[in-house]
Amino acid sequence: MNNRRKIAAGNWKMHKTLLEGQGLAHEIRTMAETELMNNAEIIIFPPFIHLVTLKKQLEGSPIQIGAQNMNQHEQGAYTGEISAAMLSSIGMNYVLIGHSERRQYYNETNDSCASKINVALAKGLQVVYCIGETLEERNDTKHFTVIENQLEALKGLSSSEMKSVVLAYEPVWAIGTGVTASAEQANEMHQHIRNVVSTLFNNEVAEGVSILYGGSVKPDNAKGLFGMSDIDGALIGGAALSSRDFIDIAKSF
Ligand code: PGA
């Protein structure tokens, strides 16, 4: 057993109206407070416009809350964008950076992710940095190299800043597809990620960083994943839209 933080994080993506989101948050809170007996941390990532309301609603609860994205610039003429300082000012605990859907549909690169990570940390946010290879990259056996390149975005951070970083390995081929990487496949990559972090920083940082797995995590596969040596939790999409499934996953540590 290690003493890394165990985390169940729910990425709501572009789902739920405000009323529906309030209902889901209420159910998650109630179930977490009455059923969750382990020390798992629970984080939800609702859409931007729900954040202020849900932050208030969840006050005094064990549920932490974060944003799904932010802009890499500190401030300026970037119509429609949200800054790290704004997220900080409404009490956000976390921000997701580099989700594969953002890389795929909004041209996010390792460089823009690096800028975002730096700005987020400077504004006191904790970062969940998402990395993962496509099916094509895995079939070409490039998956380890792809991950190494994505982890370059952490270069230049201090060891103490790394305490505010959580990594999420999400193979693109397993997201929303119903196909999960096997627990062994996922753990193999998590170990590789830890080795890369050790090279970029040191062994202590590598052993301390929580690495979540994401991609079709459900109550029936969570236990197998969490039982692996280097899997410290999950970033959950579809199943996080059901309070029952989300809490059952969090209970699987
Ligand atoms: P999924 O999504 O659980 O629906 O596969 C995971 C994610 O994209 O974070």
Side-chain angles (χ1 to χ4, degrees):
M1 248 337 234
N2 56 66
N3 49 17
R4 291 190 286 271
R5 295 150 61 201
K6 306 292 174 226
I7 299 171
N11 174 11
W12 292 10
K13 308 192 180 184
M14 198 175 74
H15 293 287
K16 303 289 176 190
T17 62
L18 180 57
L19 206 59
E20 290 165 352
Q22 286 176 289
L24 178 57
H26 173 75
E27 291 169 14
I28 291 171
R29 176 183 192 157
T30 309
M31 289 182 189
E33 287 175 345
T34 54
E35 299 178 26
L36 201 61
M37 300 304 161
N38 59 26
N39 59 357
E41 286 181 39
I42 298 204
I43 314 170
I44 57 168
F45 292 94
F48 279 130
I49 57 167
H50 302 352
L51 294 176
V52 171
T53 309
L54 295 186
K55 170 76 191 173
K56 212 169 264 159
Q57 182 183 325
L58 293 171
E59 240 159 55
S61 84
I63 319 285
Q64 304 184 81
I65 180 164
Q68 297 172 16
N69 179 36
M70 52 166 258
N71 191 272
Q72 68 265 39
H73 300 287
E74 279 199 34
Q75 59 176 334
Y78 302 103
T79 302
E81 291 296 291
I82 306 281
S83 74
M86 293 173 195
L87 296 176
S88 224
S89 73
I90 58 164
M92 288 303 101
N93 310 107
Y94 283 92
V95 62
L96 272 188
I97 291 179
H99 190 279
S100 65
E101 286 150 18
R102 304 243 19 123
R103 293 179 189 261
Q104 190 181 348
Y105 306 133
Y106 303 100
N107 305 317
E108 291 200 5
T109 61
N110 295 332
D111 282 349
S112 65
C113 288
S115 306
K116 289 184 183 201
I117 293 169
N118 277 286
V119 178
L121 294 173
K123 299 299 173 193
L125 296 166
Q126 296 187 69
V127 167
V128 177
Y129 179 48
C130 306
I131 55 180
E133 81 284 359
T134 62
L135 186 57
E136 199 183 1
E137 289 162 343
R138 181 164 278 263
N139 288 341
D140 289 349
T141 57
K142 289 192 186 128
H143 46 301
F144 291 122
T145 319
V146 168
I147 296 295
E148 285 156 28
N149 292 337
Q150 292 172 334
L151 287 169
E152 292 270 308
L154 302 174
K155 238 179 168 167
L157 298 184
S158 67
S159 299
S160 90
E161 283 176 315
M162 278 301 290
K163 293 199 173 106
S164 299
V165 174
V166 170
L167 298 173
Y169 169 59
E170 301 200 303
V172 179
W173 45 275
I175 295 180
T177 56
V179 182
T180 340
S182 69
E184 290 73 19
Q185 248 174 346
N187 201 48
E188 178 192 37
M189 184 58 92
H190 282 223
Q191 285 172 334
H192 182 66
I193 292 167
R194 229 176 271 294
N195 286 337
V196 177
V197 172
S198 176
T199 311
L200 288 173
F201 298 93
N202 55 51
N203 198 41
E204 196 186 329
V205 171
E207 286 305 316
V209 69
S210 292
I211 309 178
L212 315 183
Y213 170 78
S216 299
V217 176
K218 303 277 181 287
D220 61 8
N221 58 26
K223 234 185 182 50
L225 290 161
F226 297 166
M228 304 306 288
S229 62
D230 288 88
I231 300 181
D232 306 308
L235 180 55
I236 305 141
L241 299 174
S242 150
S243 51
R244 181 72 275 151
D245 286 356
F246 185 51
I247 293 299
D248 281 349
I249 293 169
K251 285 160 81 174
S252 303
F253 286 103

